Amino acid sequence: MEEPTRTDAAPGRPERAARSGVGPLERQRRRVFWPFTAPALIVYAVLFVAPVGYALWTSLYAWDGMGEMEWRGPRNYLLLFQDPRFRTSLFNTLELMVVGGTITFVLSFALTLVLREMRARLFARSVLFFPSLVNGMVFGIAAGFLFSPTGPVNQALKVFGVTTPPKWLSTDNLLPMVLGTLVWTATGYYTSIIMAAVDQIPDYLYEAAELDGAGPFQRFRHITLPCAWDVIAVCAVLWTVSSVKIFELILLYGGSTNAYPPVSSWNTAVYVYAEAFPQGTVPRLGTATAAAIVSLAMVTLITVVLRRLLRREPVEY
């Protein structure tokens, strides 16, 4: 008696699913993908995509926010790059991003190297993280008190024989003061994030390296950096995005109730604000949104390049 012919497909399974080789778990995941993803996509489209699209449309017009919109097309962007104030703002933004980011991550790596070997590293990490919790207005008020001509910093310098201390809050020193504050507040923040990744690295890797004669710097280079590289790459992207949005520090350090900070200290965020809310003139919302679009494009490009340059194969341990 001949045995019945066997089939690979289970009873009741659709013939199309059997041919495609998709299992029941994968089909279930595909069914729940859009119900779970659609709300987030809708919020993203309403709160980000739609405003960016409206800003891009507005950047093609001359508009004061109340009257009729006058078509300019790409002329707003041409006028933007012909404006010396915008070129200065763009250069200052890149300077804060590159110089500030380099100093911040060098200090973060150095602190990570030290904290990895400390016993009280949790307390030290909390102390380093604290400045990132303080509002920028506090730094502006504190800087006006500490670095005034008769402030504690200059008085301390006179004790050491410095008779002509620097004019800390002058126009020439305004951008370095902002940069120093950014580095101070951001170093502890990114050190805490990197240390959270370092805490997940098994101790036996460090113990084996130490038995092989590796010093602290060699352990950091060959164990800490490769194992925490994904987190470091994310921190680099976070710094890139946050460095473009710096606004309140520049306004607090260099501005007043009747005037904006000097143009030499502007970044693109201050430029957008000054164009949208000028003092004594008509708002130029077309130019302001064009500058915002240029900033967004610059951040997007730099972020994509960073992700490409910092891409590494994941380290398994």
Side-chain angles (χ1 to χ4, degrees):
M1 185 176 181
E2 295 182 358
E3 295 182 359
T5 305
R6 294 183 178 181
T7 59
D8 294 333
R13 169 187 269 185
E15 184 179 355
R16 183 176 60 181
R19 289 198 305 265
S20 62
V22 178
L25 181 60
E26 182 63 24
R27 293 200 306 275
Q28 182 67 20
R29 288 176 177 175
R30 293 181 180 182
R31 280 197 296 267
V32 301
F33 176 79
W34 286 111
F36 279 93
T37 309
L41 292 177
I42 293 173
V43 172
Y44 183 79
V46 172
L47 298 181
F48 182 77
V49 177
V52 170
Y54 183 74
L56 182 61
W57 177 68
T58 306
S59 68
L60 302 176
Y61 289 84
W63 187 37
D64 60 0
M66 295 176 291
E68 294 184 0
M69 302 177 70
E70 179 185 349
W71 172 261
R72 277 189 176 177
R75 186 184 172 194
N76 273 343
Y77 293 91
L78 297 177
L79 295 175
L80 195 65
F81 285 97
Q82 293 173 1
D83 188 351
R85 297 179 306 156
F86 179 75
R87 294 198 299 268
T88 300
S89 303
L90 192 61
F91 178 79
N92 289 341
T93 302
L94 293 174
E95 182 179 354
L96 291 173
M97 182 188 302
V98 176
V99 178
T102 301
I103 298 174
T104 298
F105 281 97
V106 168
L107 292 177
S108 297
F109 292 156
L111 289 171
T112 301
L113 178 63
V114 175
L115 291 174
R116 177 63 184 76
E117 309 294 333
M118 285 181 60
R119 292 185 177 180
R121 57 184 177 183
L122 293 178
F123 174 76
R125 197 187 310 179
S126 301
V127 173
L128 290 171
F129 185 77
F130 178 75
S132 64
L133 302 177
V134 181
N135 188 277
M137 188 174 294
V138 176
F139 292 117
I141 297 173
F145 168 71
L146 293 173
F147 296 99
S148 64
T150 58
V153 174
N154 286 349
Q155 295 299 326
L157 291 176
K158 289 181 180 179
V159 173
F160 292 97
V162 180
T163 57
T164 56
K167 298 179 180 180
W168 302 102
L169 298 178
S170 65
T171 302
D172 295 335
N173 295 326
L174 187 57
L175 199 63
M177 287 289 294
V178 173
L179 181 61
T181 305
L182 287 175
V183 171
W184 179 45
T185 56
T187 298
Y189 177 76
Y190 291 109
T191 301
S192 300
I193 296 178
I194 296 172
M195 280 301 302
V198 172
D199 290 341
Q200 305 302 317
I201 302 175
D203 290 333
Y204 65 81
L205 295 177
Y206 291 97
E207 294 171 358
E210 190 174 358
L211 291 175
D212 291 337
F217 180 75
Q218 291 175 317
R219 294 197 295 271
F220 175 80
R221 177 185 175 186
H222 297 289
I223 298 177
T224 304
L225 273 183
C227 293
W229 189 259
D230 289 342
V231 175
I232 294 172
V234 172
C235 289
V237 173
L238 290 176
W239 169 262
T240 301
V241 175
S242 62
S243 62
V244 180
K245 298 188 295 183
I246 298 165
F247 174 76
E248 69 278 3
L249 283 178
I250 299 175
L251 201 63
L252 287 169
Y253 279 168
S256 64
T257 55
N258 298 320
Y260 290 131
V263 177
S264 60
S265 64
W266 285 13
N267 66 344
T268 52
V270 178
Y271 180 88
V272 171
Y273 181 79
E275 288 293 295
F277 305 100
Q279 294 177 338
T281 59
V282 177
R284 297 177 290 272
L285 296 183
T287 308
T289 52
I293 292 296
V294 171
S295 299
L296 177 62
M298 180 182 66
V299 171
T300 303
L301 178 62
I302 295 176
T303 301
V304 171
V305 172
L306 273 178
R307 295 297 294 174
R308 293 286 183 180
L309 293 178
L310 298 178
R311 181 179 297 176
R312 298 288 189 278
E313 293 293 332
V315 177
E316 297 182 0
Y317 47 86

